[in-house]
Amino acid sequence: MEFAPEMLEYANLISSKGLTGFTQGSVQERRDGYSAIGELLGEGPLLREIQDISIPSKSGNVFIKNYIPKTEPKSKILYFHGGGWVVGRLKDFDPFARKLSEITSSIVSLVDYRLAPEAPFPLPLEDAYAALEWISSQKENVWKDLPLVVAGDSAGGNLAASTIMRAKETSGPKIDLQILIYPVTEAICDTDSYKEFELGPGLTKKDMEWFISQYLPNRHTRSDPKASPLYQTDWKDLPPAIVFIADIDPLRDDGKLYAEKLKEAGVPVLFKEFKGYTHGFFTKVNLLKAPDEGLRMISEEMDRVFKRKEVVL
Protein backbone atom coordinates (compact mmCIF):
# COMPACT_ATOMS: atom_id res chain seq x y z
CA MET A 1 0.00 0.00 0.00
CA GLU A 2 1.54 3.26 -1.15
CA PHE A 3 -0.09 6.67 -0.96
CA ALA A 4 -0.05 9.09 -3.86
CA PRO A 5 2.06 12.05 -2.69
CA GLU A 6 -0.85 14.50 -2.86
CA MET A 7 -3.09 12.07 -0.96
CA LEU A 8 -0.55 11.94 1.85
CA GLU A 9 -0.32 15.74 1.89
CA TYR A 10 -4.10 15.95 2.11
CA ALA A 11 -4.23 13.46 4.99
CA ASN A 12 -1.54 15.42 6.84
CA LEU A 13 -3.49 18.66 6.30
CA ILE A 14 -6.66 17.17 7.79
CA SER A 15 -4.70 15.75 10.72
CA SER A 16 -2.86 19.04 11.38
CA LYS A 17 -6.19 20.85 11.72
CA GLY A 18 -7.52 18.25 14.14
CA LEU A 19 -10.48 17.39 11.93
CA THR A 20 -12.15 14.02 12.52
CA GLY A 21 -14.76 14.22 9.78
CA PHE A 22 -17.61 11.72 10.07
CA THR A 23 -15.86 9.17 12.30
CA GLN A 24 -16.81 10.32 15.79
CA GLY A 25 -19.71 11.64 17.83
CA SER A 26 -23.43 11.97 17.38
CA VAL A 27 -25.14 12.18 13.99
CA GLN A 28 -25.06 15.97 14.16
CA GLU A 29 -21.41 16.06 15.22
CA ARG A 30 -20.48 13.80 12.32
CA ARG A 31 -22.38 16.03 9.91
CA ASP A 32 -20.62 19.11 11.24
CA GLY A 33 -17.25 17.32 11.09
CA TYR A 34 -17.80 16.38 7.47
CA SER A 35 -18.76 19.95 6.59
CA ALA A 36 -15.64 21.27 8.35
CA ILE A 37 -13.51 19.34 5.86
CA GLY A 38 -15.66 20.67 3.01
CA GLU A 39 -14.85 24.22 4.06
CA LEU A 40 -11.21 23.62 3.11
CA LEU A 41 -12.10 23.18 -0.56
CA GLY A 42 -12.56 26.87 -1.30
CA GLU A 43 -14.62 28.16 -4.19
CA GLY A 44 -15.59 26.35 -7.37
CA PRO A 45 -15.58 28.02 -10.81
CA LEU A 46 -18.13 30.66 -11.71
CA LEU A 47 -21.00 29.41 -13.83
CA ARG A 48 -23.72 31.00 -15.92
CA GLU A 49 -26.47 30.42 -13.38
CA ILE A 50 -27.46 28.50 -10.24
CA GLN A 51 -31.12 27.50 -9.87
CA ASP A 52 -32.69 26.32 -6.62
CA ILE A 53 -35.91 24.34 -6.88
CA SER A 54 -38.08 22.08 -4.75
CA ILE A 55 -40.00 19.08 -6.09
CA PRO A 56 -42.53 16.76 -4.42
CA SER A 57 -41.49 13.30 -3.27
CA LYS A 58 -43.14 10.58 -1.21
CA SER A 59 -44.28 12.18 2.09
CA GLY A 60 -42.09 15.23 1.56
CA ASN A 61 -40.20 17.52 -0.78
CA VAL A 62 -36.75 17.32 -2.32
CA PHE A 63 -34.48 20.31 -2.84
CA ILE A 64 -32.34 20.35 -6.00
CA LYS A 65 -29.60 22.80 -6.94
CA ASN A 66 -29.04 23.15 -10.69
CA TYR A 67 -25.64 24.29 -11.96
CA ILE A 68 -25.78 25.80 -15.47
CA PRO A 69 -22.40 26.06 -17.30
CA LYS A 70 -21.25 29.12 -19.20
CA THR A 71 -20.90 27.03 -22.36
CA GLU A 72 -23.79 25.51 -24.29
CA PRO A 73 -24.87 22.46 -22.23
CA LYS A 74 -24.08 19.10 -23.84
CA SER A 75 -25.93 16.96 -21.30
CA LYS A 76 -27.75 16.96 -17.97
CA ILE A 77 -26.31 15.11 -14.97
CA LEU A 78 -28.46 14.04 -12.04
CA TYR A 79 -25.99 13.77 -9.16
CA PHE A 80 -26.38 12.09 -5.77
CA HIS A 81 -23.69 13.06 -3.27
CA GLY A 82 -21.90 10.73 -0.88
CA GLY A 83 -21.84 10.70 2.89
CA GLY A 84 -23.07 7.28 3.96
CA TRP A 85 -26.73 8.33 3.51
CA VAL A 86 -26.24 10.25 6.80
CA VAL A 87 -23.79 13.15 6.37
CA GLY A 88 -23.18 15.61 3.56
CA ARG A 89 -24.88 18.90 2.78
CA LEU A 90 -25.20 20.47 -0.64
CA LYS A 91 -22.69 23.17 0.31
CA ASP A 92 -20.10 20.46 1.00
CA PHE A 93 -20.33 19.41 -2.66
CA ASP A 94 -20.76 22.85 -4.24
CA PRO A 95 -17.13 23.22 -5.49
CA PHE A 96 -17.23 19.72 -6.96
CA ALA A 97 -20.61 20.25 -8.66
CA ARG A 98 -19.33 23.48 -10.20
CA LYS A 99 -16.22 21.76 -11.58
CA LEU A 100 -18.25 18.83 -12.87
CA SER A 101 -20.53 21.28 -14.68
CA GLU A 102 -17.67 23.32 -16.11
CA ILE A 103 -15.44 20.46 -17.28
CA THR A 104 -18.26 18.38 -18.82
CA SER A 105 -20.26 21.37 -20.14
CA SER A 106 -23.32 19.90 -18.45
CA ILE A 107 -26.21 21.01 -16.31
CA VAL A 108 -25.53 19.35 -12.96
CA SER A 109 -28.56 18.78 -10.73
CA LEU A 110 -27.32 18.12 -7.20
CA VAL A 111 -30.01 16.36 -5.18
CA ASP A 112 -30.59 17.10 -1.49
CA TYR A 113 -32.19 13.73 -0.74
CA ARG A 114 -33.38 13.19 2.82
CA LEU A 115 -30.80 11.66 5.15
CA ALA A 116 -30.86 8.77 7.59
CA PRO A 117 -31.47 8.09 10.43
CA GLU A 118 -34.37 10.56 10.20
CA ALA A 119 -35.23 9.20 6.74
CA PRO A 120 -34.04 5.59 6.47
CA PHE A 121 -34.38 3.21 3.50
CA PRO A 122 -36.30 3.46 1.25
CA LEU A 123 -37.08 7.20 1.61
CA PRO A 124 -33.78 8.45 0.09
CA LEU A 125 -34.47 6.14 -2.86
CA GLU A 126 -37.95 7.62 -3.25
CA ASP A 127 -36.37 11.08 -3.34
CA ALA A 128 -33.83 9.89 -5.89
CA TYR A 129 -36.48 8.49 -8.21
CA ALA A 130 -38.63 11.61 -7.88
CA ALA A 131 -35.57 13.62 -8.94
CA LEU A 132 -35.04 11.31 -11.92
CA GLU A 133 -38.63 11.75 -13.07
CA TRP A 134 -38.33 15.51 -12.66
CA ILE A 135 -35.08 15.92 -14.62
CA SER A 136 -36.33 13.61 -17.36
CA SER A 137 -39.31 15.91 -17.84
CA GLN A 138 -37.17 19.05 -18.28
CA LYS A 139 -37.02 19.75 -22.01
CA GLU A 140 -37.66 23.48 -22.34
CA ASN A 141 -35.16 26.30 -22.91
CA VAL A 142 -31.64 25.46 -21.69
CA TRP A 143 -32.58 21.84 -20.97
CA LYS A 144 -33.65 21.11 -24.55
CA ASP A 145 -33.43 17.39 -25.33
CA LEU A 146 -30.10 16.78 -23.65
CA PRO A 147 -28.72 13.27 -22.95
CA LEU A 148 -29.39 12.21 -19.35
CA VAL A 149 -26.61 11.02 -17.05
CA VAL A 150 -27.26 9.58 -13.58
CA ALA A 151 -24.25 9.77 -11.27
CA GLY A 152 -23.16 9.56 -7.67
CA ASP A 153 -20.29 8.89 -5.31
CA SER A 154 -20.18 6.40 -2.43
CA ALA A 155 -23.68 6.20 -0.88
CA GLY A 156 -24.80 8.48 -3.70
CA GLY A 157 -23.43 5.89 -6.12
CA ASN A 158 -25.63 3.34 -4.36
CA LEU A 159 -28.69 5.56 -4.87
CA ALA A 160 -27.72 6.14 -8.51
CA ALA A 161 -27.32 2.42 -9.25
CA SER A 162 -30.61 1.53 -7.56
CA THR A 163 -32.44 4.37 -9.30
CA ILE A 164 -31.13 3.22 -12.69
CA MET A 165 -32.23 -0.34 -11.94
CA ARG A 166 -35.72 0.83 -10.97
CA ALA A 167 -36.03 2.89 -14.14
CA LYS A 168 -35.18 -0.18 -16.23
CA GLU A 169 -37.54 -2.48 -14.33
CA THR A 170 -40.48 -0.07 -14.57
CA SER A 171 -39.81 1.22 -18.11
CA GLY A 172 -39.14 4.60 -16.53
CA PRO A 173 -37.07 7.53 -17.83
CA LYS A 174 -34.40 6.73 -20.41
CA ILE A 175 -30.89 7.08 -19.00
CA ASP A 176 -28.02 7.47 -21.45
CA LEU A 177 -25.02 7.00 -19.14
CA GLN A 178 -24.26 6.11 -15.52
CA ILE A 179 -21.28 7.36 -13.51
CA LEU A 180 -20.47 5.55 -10.27
CA ILE A 181 -17.62 6.83 -8.09
CA TYR A 182 -16.47 4.26 -5.49
CA PRO A 183 -20.13 3.23 -5.07
CA VAL A 184 -21.59 1.23 -2.19
CA THR A 185 -23.03 -1.76 -4.04
CA GLU A 186 -23.56 -4.22 -1.17
CA ALA A 187 -24.47 -3.65 2.49
CA ILE A 188 -22.99 -6.84 3.94
CA CYS A 189 -19.37 -5.60 4.16
CA ASP A 190 -17.73 -8.97 3.50
CA THR A 191 -15.57 -8.38 0.41
CA ASP A 192 -11.79 -8.85 0.34
CA SER A 193 -11.20 -5.09 0.43
CA TYR A 194 -13.28 -4.80 3.62
CA LYS A 195 -10.90 -7.34 5.17
CA GLU A 196 -7.81 -5.60 3.79
CA PHE A 197 -8.81 -2.10 4.92
CA GLU A 198 -10.91 -3.00 7.95
CA LEU A 199 -9.03 -0.42 10.02
CA GLY A 200 -8.45 2.09 7.25
CA PRO A 201 -6.53 4.23 6.51
CA GLY A 202 -9.37 6.67 6.05
CA LEU A 203 -12.76 5.01 5.86
CA THR A 204 -13.00 1.84 8.02
CA LYS A 205 -15.29 -1.15 8.12
CA LYS A 206 -16.62 0.10 11.46
CA ASP A 207 -17.53 3.44 9.84
CA MET A 208 -19.44 1.69 7.06
CA GLU A 209 -21.25 -0.60 9.48
CA TRP A 210 -22.38 2.46 11.43
CA PHE A 211 -23.63 4.22 8.29
CA ILE A 212 -25.44 1.09 7.12
CA SER A 213 -27.09 0.68 10.53
CA GLN A 214 -28.50 4.22 10.21
CA TYR A 215 -29.79 3.75 6.65
CA LEU A 216 -30.77 0.08 6.92
CA PRO A 217 -31.69 -0.51 10.59
CA ASN A 218 -33.58 -3.66 9.57
CA ARG A 219 -30.86 -6.22 8.80
CA HIS A 220 -33.24 -8.21 6.58
CA THR A 221 -33.32 -5.35 4.05
CA ARG A 222 -29.55 -5.29 3.55
CA SER A 223 -29.52 -8.02 0.91
CA ASP A 224 -32.45 -6.47 -0.98
CA PRO A 225 -31.16 -5.47 -4.45
CA LYS A 226 -32.70 -2.03 -3.90
CA ALA A 227 -30.28 -1.59 -0.98
CA SER A 228 -27.47 -3.74 -2.39
CA PRO A 229 -27.62 -3.37 -6.20
CA LEU A 230 -24.74 -5.84 -6.61
CA TYR A 231 -27.30 -8.54 -5.75
CA GLN A 232 -29.59 -7.80 -8.68
CA THR A 233 -30.02 -10.68 -11.11
CA ASP A 234 -30.78 -8.95 -14.43
CA TRP A 235 -27.84 -6.92 -15.70
CA LYS A 236 -28.83 -6.58 -19.33
CA ASP A 237 -29.95 -3.38 -21.04
CA LEU A 238 -28.41 -1.07 -18.44
CA PRO A 239 -26.86 2.19 -19.70
CA PRO A 240 -23.14 2.45 -20.48
CA ALA A 241 -21.10 3.05 -17.35
CA ILE A 242 -18.12 4.91 -15.97
CA VAL A 243 -16.89 3.32 -12.74
CA PHE A 244 -14.03 4.84 -10.73
CA ILE A 245 -12.63 3.37 -7.52
CA ALA A 246 -9.87 4.13 -5.02
CA ASP A 247 -7.43 1.30 -4.35
CA ILE A 248 -6.96 2.10 -0.61
CA ASP A 249 -10.63 1.75 0.25
CA PRO A 250 -12.86 -0.88 1.90
CA LEU A 251 -15.33 -0.10 -0.92
CA ARG A 252 -12.79 -0.89 -3.63
CA ASP A 253 -14.31 -4.28 -4.42
CA ASP A 254 -17.89 -2.94 -4.34
CA GLY A 255 -17.08 -0.90 -7.43
CA LYS A 256 -14.83 -3.51 -9.06
CA LEU A 257 -17.37 -6.34 -8.73
CA TYR A 258 -20.17 -4.09 -10.01
CA ALA A 259 -18.14 -3.11 -13.07
CA GLU A 260 -17.39 -6.78 -13.75
CA LYS A 261 -21.10 -7.68 -13.59
CA LEU A 262 -21.90 -4.91 -16.07
CA LYS A 263 -19.15 -6.03 -18.46
CA GLU A 264 -20.29 -9.66 -18.27
CA ALA A 265 -23.76 -8.52 -19.36
CA GLY A 266 -22.31 -6.69 -22.36
CA VAL A 267 -22.65 -3.19 -20.90
CA PRO A 268 -19.82 -0.88 -22.06
CA VAL A 269 -17.76 0.19 -19.02
CA LEU A 270 -14.95 2.70 -18.62
CA PHE A 271 -13.21 1.54 -15.44
CA LYS A 272 -10.34 3.14 -13.55
CA GLU A 273 -8.72 2.33 -10.22
CA PHE A 274 -6.97 5.38 -8.76
CA LYS A 275 -3.76 4.04 -7.22
CA GLY A 276 -2.64 5.55 -3.93
CA TYR A 277 -5.97 7.20 -3.07
CA THR A 278 -8.38 6.63 -0.22
CA HIS A 279 -12.16 6.76 -0.18
CA GLY A 280 -13.69 10.21 -0.72
CA PHE A 281 -10.82 11.72 -2.70
CA PHE A 282 -12.78 12.41 -5.89
CA THR A 283 -14.89 15.29 -4.59
CA LYS A 284 -11.90 17.04 -2.95
CA VAL A 285 -11.40 19.42 -5.84
CA ASN A 286 -8.92 22.29 -5.41
CA LEU A 287 -7.04 20.26 -2.78
CA LEU A 288 -6.22 17.30 -5.08
CA LYS A 289 -5.30 17.06 -8.78
CA ALA A 290 -6.64 13.53 -9.33
CA PRO A 291 -10.29 14.70 -9.46
CA ASP A 292 -9.45 17.00 -12.38
CA GLU A 293 -7.88 14.07 -14.22
CA GLY A 294 -10.97 11.96 -13.54
CA LEU A 295 -13.36 14.71 -14.59
CA ARG A 296 -11.50 15.12 -17.89
CA MET A 297 -11.80 11.37 -18.47
CA ILE A 298 -15.52 11.59 -17.74
CA SER A 299 -15.94 14.50 -20.15
CA GLU A 300 -14.08 12.67 -22.94
CA GLU A 301 -16.10 9.49 -22.38
CA MET A 302 -19.37 11.43 -22.37
CA ASP A 303 -18.44 13.01 -25.69
CA ARG A 304 -17.52 9.61 -27.11
CA VAL A 305 -20.69 7.87 -25.91
CA PHE A 306 -23.06 10.60 -27.04
CA LYS A 307 -21.37 11.12 -30.41
CA ARG A 308 -21.55 7.38 -31.01
CA LYS A 309 -25.28 7.47 -30.25
CA GLU A 310 -25.71 10.27 -32.78
CA VAL A 311 -23.97 8.18 -35.46
CA VAL A 312 -26.23 5.21 -34.72
CA LEU A 313 -29.32 7.37 -35.00
Side-chain angles (χ1 to χ4, degrees):
M1 181 178 66
E2 185 175 346
F3 284 97
E6 68 168 3
M7 191 75 239
L8 191 57
E9 289 178 16
Y10 169 80
N12 290 335
L13 172 66
I14 298 302
S15 178
S16 70
K17 293 185 176 294
L19 299 177
T20 59
F22 53 75
T23 62
Q24 298 177 23
S26 66
V27 168
Q28 191 57 52
E29 287 169 338
R30 292 175 190 238
R31 287 173 179 166
D32 292 342
Y34 190 84
S35 293
I37 292 176
E39 290 171 3
L40 301 177
L41 299 179
E43 300 290 330
L46 292 175
L47 302 176
R48 184 198 310 179
E49 186 181 356
I50 308 292
Q51 300 174 348
D52 296 332
I53 67 159
S54 179
I55 65 167
S57 180
K58 189 172 184 179
S59 68
N61 291 300
V62 186
F63 183 76
I64 299 176
K65 187 176 282 287
N66 298 309
Y67 296 81
I68 316 295
K70 289 182 177 179
T71 54
E72 188 72 16
K74 297 179 181 178
S75 61
K76 50 188 179 186
I77 302 175
L78 185 67
Y79 196 91
F80 303 107
H81 67 76
W85 309 278
V86 177
V87 306
R89 303 173 171 110
L90 291 197
K91 69 184 179 86
D92 303 333
F93 293 86
D94 181 82
F96 171 76
R98 288 172 178 270
K99 272 219 164 164
L100 177 61
S101 176
E102 179 185 64
I103 291 178
T104 64
S105 295
S106 300
I107 302 171
V108 174
S109 295
L110 187 59
V111 183
D112 193 22
Y113 57 89
R114 287 170 288 178
L115 300 177
E118 298 91 341
F121 173 86
L123 288 176
L125 271 176
E126 294 293 344
D127 292 350
Y129 201 77
L132 174 64
E133 292 183 316
W134 172 81
I135 197 171
S136 178
S137 71
Q138 301 306 297
K139 300 183 184 299
E140 299 298 320
N141 301 321
V142 71
W143 298 89
K144 291 182 283 186
D145 199 15
L146 298 172
L148 173 57
V149 181
V150 175
D153 66 281
S154 195
N158 172 278
L159 296 178
S162 293
T163 297
I164 292 163
M165 180 172 64
R166 178 175 171 181
K168 187 191 80 163
E169 291 173 347
T170 61
S171 299
K174 180 179 180 294
I175 298 163
D176 298 290
L177 179 69
Q178 56 181 315
I179 303 174
L180 307 177
I181 312 297
Y182 35 71
V184 182
T185 64
E186 53 81 36
I188 310 300
C189 306
D190 64 352
T191 63
D192 289 343
S193 56
Y194 266 108
K195 298 179 180 72
E196 186 176 352
F197 302 110
E198 179 177 1
L199 302 178
L203 184 70
T204 67
K205 181 177 180 179
K206 183 179 177 181
D207 293 331
M208 281 305 304
E209 288 175 338
W210 183 85
F211 282 127
I212 289 167
S213 72
Q214 307 302 306
Y215 179 55
L216 299 160
N218 181 350
R219 287 184 172 272
H220 298 296
T221 61
R222 295 180 187 178
S223 57
D224 184 330
K226 295 181 181 65
S228 293
L230 185 63
Y231 299 153
Q232 64 182 298
T233 56
D234 181 8
W235 293 83
K236 293 190 179 299
D237 302 318
L238 288 166
I242 297 172
V243 181
F244 288 166
I245 61 173
D247 75 324
I248 308 173
D249 184 359
L251 291 176
R252 180 194 65 201
D253 291 351
D254 278 40
K256 185 178 293 185
L257 293 169
Y258 202 82
E260 289 171 359
K261 289 283 191 181
L262 290 170
K263 288 178 181 177
E264 288 169 5
V267 177
V269 179
L270 172 66
F271 178 82
K272 180 174 176 61
E273 182 173 352
F274 285 79
K275 301 288 187 180
Y277 288 86
T278 60
H279 188 81
F281 81 93
F282 200 77
T283 56
K284 304 304 184 288
V285 295
N286 298 337
L287 292 178
L288 298 173
K289 295 179 181 177
D292 286 350
E293 174 196 348
L295 289 172
R296 284 191 291 271
M297 287 180 64
I298 286 172
S299 180
E300 290 169 3
E301 182 68 0
M302 287 171 65
D303 285 346
R304 189 188 71 81
V305 169
F306 298 145
K307 284 178 181 176
R308 184 182 66 202
K309 289 174 71 65
E310 288 172 8
V311 170
V312 171
L313 291 172

